[in-house]
Amino acid sequence: MSALARPTHGRMIGGVCAALARRFGTSATTMRVIFLLSCLLPGPQFLLYIALWILLPSEDKTRTAW
């Protein structure tokens, strides 16, 4: 598994689904569909997405830090 960072390429809004897809070894489209389906259930999905958007570093920032 790779480090959890939002990619600079292949992101739609914030890159959270693309980062999670890369981390768990699935496609970004699959992760986006799972997220959209989870929005049909009650819960704080949007707040979690926004929190991950803020907390996850961008891939270009993690590259320059190494």
Side-chain angles (χ1 to χ4, degrees):
M1 285 190 211
S2 62
L4 196 55
R6 294 181 296 117
T8 54
H9 301 289
R11 45 204 272 189
M12 294 284 266
I13 298 175
V16 175
C17 289
L20 291 173
R22 184 180 292 173
R23 173 74 175 171
F24 294 114
T26 183
S27 71
T29 305
T30 303
M31 193 59 69
R32 290 178 185 122
V33 168
I34 290 170
F35 174 73
L36 288 175
L37 290 175
S38 76
C39 289
L40 298 174
L41 301 171
Q45 290 86 351
F46 290 113
L47 295 176
L48 181 64
Y49 187 91
I50 292 171
L52 287 174
W53 191 351
I54 293 169
L55 295 175
L56 289 179
S58 185
E59 191 175 57
D60 57 351
K61 290 181 184 176
T62 57
R63 267 193 222 155
T64 57
W66 293 95

